[in-house]
Amino acid sequence: MNITIDVQDTESKVEVQVKGEIDAYTAPKLRETLFPLSEQENVTMVVNLTDVSYMDSTGLGVFVGLFKSVRAHNGQFRLEGLSERLRRLFDITGLADIIEIKSGTEGGLE
C-alpha cells in the first residue's frame, strides 16, 4: 500500500496532489505532511484526489482534522477530483455538507 503526496506551497495557497490509497497505513504520512501546512494563517488548501483509488475512515479523519485546522487559522479548504466512490463516502458520512468538494466530473479552473 503506497501513497504519493506532491505539495506545491506558495505564499497563500497550498495545492496537494495525492496518489494511491489512503488507509490506516498511509494516513499518518498524509497527516504528517499536511498538518503543518494547514496551520498557516489565511491559507487556501486544495487537495486533489483524482488518483486516489481507495480511502477508509482513517483518511476521512485526516481530512476532517485538516479542514478544522485550516478553518481555525482563517483559511479555506477544498477537495477536488473525487471519484464517484470517494464522493459517496463523503456524502454518506455527511462530510460533503461541511467540506467544500469539487467532484472529478467538474473540470476546469475557477
Side-chain angles (χ1 to χ4, degrees), residues 7-8 13 19 25 33 42 49 53 56 58 71 74 94 105:
V7 177
Q8 293 198 347
K13 188 170 187 178
K19 298 176 184 176
Y25 297 103
T33 303
N42 302 311
L49 301 176
S53 57
D56 67 10
T58 315
R71 294 298 291 263
N74 303 309
T105 56

Side-chain angles (χ1 to χ4, degrees), residues 40-100:
Q40 298 176 37
E41 280 299 316
N42 302 311
V43 72
T44 297
M45 182 177 282
V46 179
V47 181
N48 188 307
L49 301 176
T50 301
D51 296 319
V52 172
S53 57
Y54 173 82
M55 181 167 49
D56 67 10
S57 60
T58 315
L60 287 175
V62 170
F63 289 117
V64 168
L66 284 170
F67 169 77
K68 287 181 176 179
S69 178
V70 168
R71 294 298 291 263
H73 293 90
N74 303 309
Q76 295 181 326
F77 182 80
R78 182 174 75 221
L79 297 174
E80 293 184 342
L82 278 69
S83 66
E84 243 182 79
R85 180 182 212 154
L86 291 184
R87 177 64 194 234
R88 195 165 54 245
L89 188 60
F90 280 87
D91 286 340
I92 289 169
T93 58
L95 292 173
D97 297 333
I98 300 166
I99 298 174
E100 182 183 349

Side-chain angles (χ1 to χ4, degrees), residues 10-22:
T10 60
E11 207 170 294
S12 62
K13 188 170 187 178
V14 175
E15 294 183 77
V16 182
Q17 178 78 37
V18 183
K19 298 176 184 176
E21 298 181 354
I22 304 172

